[in-house]
Amino acid sequence: MGLFSLFQRHRTFDHGIYPVEHKELTADKPIRRLPFAPELVIPFAQHKGEPAVPLVKVGQEVVRGEPIARAEGFVSVPMHAPATGVIRAIALAPSADGPKTLAIYLKVYHAASQQVLYDLDRDLDAMTPAQIVAAVQDAGLVGLGGGAFPSHVKMQPPAGKVIETVIVNGCECEPYLTCDHRIMLEQTEALIRGIKLALKATGAKQAIIGVEDNKLDAVAHLRAVIPKELPITAEAVETKYPQGAEKMLIKSLLRKEVPIGGLPADVGVAVYNVGTLAQMGDLLPKGRGLIERVVTVSGPAVSNPGNFMVPVGTPLRFLLGQVGLAADRVGEVILGGPMMGMAVASLDVPVTKAVSGVVALEREDPDLDRRKVYPCIKCAECLKACPVSLNPSMLGELALARQYERMAEEFNLDQCFECGCCAYVCPSNIPLTQYFRIAKSINRDRQK
């Protein structure tokens, strides 16, 4: 492979933005393990769909990897014990969303070996597509890019839809985050095994790994190790936010557009995050469940940023304490990336399956704490930035007028996936993304 093939102009989508990346803080930091927290908090609702249902009771001892909650229906996943210990309580716990949610409090036995003692060897070659789908659900796998949609559901497209291509999302377009980058470099065998499982389960004929061109080392590594006989390719796409959004990546790689209100399956595509497929390739052969994930911990308020294998349920307070959080300087802690992530009100919130990053930001200059919001000046910068070609300026004015239904009916509010591009470029400091999030929430409540 010549240098030209790596450094040519790469595929992309229309619009978008180029935020400062800050990935140099952790891009070269290998994945490491940290000590177990004294207590883990495992919410039943860590995914889209119905919350899991407890299988354990207070006072019960569990071993690492043991199922502790079952799936409630098809659009749901089970939970597994991230550590060997005893169930201290089943009670409400703080969440990133705000309202408290029911969770299992697991007191960790630090004298235990913490080996995964609950597993079941499987012959992957002998498994049928239906058995793979069931095994993926049993493993508790969800989208690890942040969406947390149950992975097995994507493997069964709606009736009449045929999956032709599996797209493996390795873009990681959010600033600060580098966990997917490290997974592609360090967990390549598991990733390829997971891609083969996704191809078999969906019936797709090919898989394309899409990687932003700020990670060309990952592209070169993947191309070097993917067996030639497999229908898997690694392709570089332009480094631009939000390249990692499903619709954007499909447009960049295949030049196909998902219809308004449609799904990737409508254009014959299933999209999976690299972390999801790496876990699939690691867990399914052993019959194990998802109990930990790779998390980037970074930001200016952290003295030892890095990429860490973190047990599900680890409280943020413990995790940040391990990496040198400067408590006197921290202003906000964000779960995920700074563009689409959510600031938490409490450091007692646990790491869940959906958490790909924890970013600790310093306090802003006091003069900037409450940036003044000015009227829209009709500059059209938000229109140029919007990756789905909405009119954020008009939507913002309708939001101020509380015309939420009109926003959806006439201006396609539901097509907004809250990427934050419009708010990022707005010279008037209008919090457009927050306006749209509130409007969509109100419309959903009205429909209920």
Side-chain angles (χ1 to χ4, degrees), residues 73-300:
F74 184 67
V75 188
S76 180
V77 295
M79 303 294 162
H80 302 77
T84 296
V86 61
I87 308 299
R88 184 183 67 79
I90 299 176
L92 293 175
S95 73
D97 296 330
K100 289 192 173 183
T101 184
L102 196 63
I104 292 173
Y105 287 77
L106 174 61
K107 183 179 179 182
V108 176
Y109 286 165
H110 281 281
S113 67
Q114 297 303 342
Q115 290 180 300
V116 178
L117 301 175
Y118 197 97
D119 54 20
L120 174 68
D121 288 340
R122 288 194 180 104
D123 182 0
L124 299 184
D125 293 332
M127 294 178 71
T128 65
Q131 288 172 331
I132 293 173
V133 172
V136 169
Q137 182 177 24
D138 290 343
L141 280 167
V142 301
L144 299 185
F149 191 78
S151 300
H152 66 280
V153 177
K154 286 186 179 182
M155 292 181 162
Q156 288 195 330
K161 307 296 182 184
V162 177
I163 301 300
E164 300 169 347
T165 304
V166 167
I167 287 182
V168 185
N169 190 344
C171 289
E172 198 164 47
C173 57
E174 278 269 8
Y176 289 103
L177 305 190
T178 58
C179 56
D180 288 348
H181 185 185
R182 299 310 309 178
I183 286 170
M184 288 186 284
L185 293 173
E186 300 181 44
Q187 299 180 3
T188 319
E189 287 187 13
L191 173 59
I192 293 172
R193 198 180 305 122
I195 295 172
K196 289 170 62 179
L197 287 166
L199 286 170
K200 185 174 182 179
T202 60
K205 304 302 182 187
Q206 66 169 344
I208 306 173
I209 309 172
V211 185
E212 283 193 334
D213 57 15
N214 59 357
K215 295 179 276 292
L216 290 175
D217 57 339
V219 176
H221 176 68
L222 289 166
R223 288 176 176 172
V225 300
I226 294 172
K228 301 300 181 186
E229 67 272 14
L230 294 181
I232 304 172
T233 58
E235 302 293 340
V237 293
E238 183 183 354
T239 300
K240 179 166 65 169
Y241 181 85
Q243 186 74 260
E246 284 188 342
K247 292 182 179 181
M248 307 301 102
L249 189 54
I250 291 171
K251 178 73 177 292
S252 295
L253 290 174
L254 301 176
R255 311 316 298 172
K256 292 182 178 181
E257 291 202 22
V258 177
I260 292 177
L263 298 170
D266 294 326
V267 292
V269 177
V271 184
Y272 297 92
N273 173 263
V274 293
T276 305
L277 293 183
Q279 286 277 14
M280 191 181 298
D282 181 54
L283 298 176
L284 259 63
K286 308 166 189 173
R288 293 178 177 177
L290 177 61
I291 58 174
E292 58 189 5
R293 63 155 301 151
V294 183
V295 178
T296 299
V297 186
S298 189

Side-chain angles (χ1 to χ4, degrees), residues 34 295 297 308 310 314-323 351 358:
L34 296 174
V295 178
V297 186
F308 305 98
V310 180
T314 301
L316 292 180
R317 191 180 306 279
F318 177 86
L319 175 60
L320 290 168
Q322 296 295 310
V323 297
V351 170
V358 179

Side-chain angles (χ1 to χ4, degrees), residues 375-381 393 397:
C376 174
I377 60 174
K378 304 296 190 291
C379 65
E381 289 300 314
S393 174
E397 292 188 359

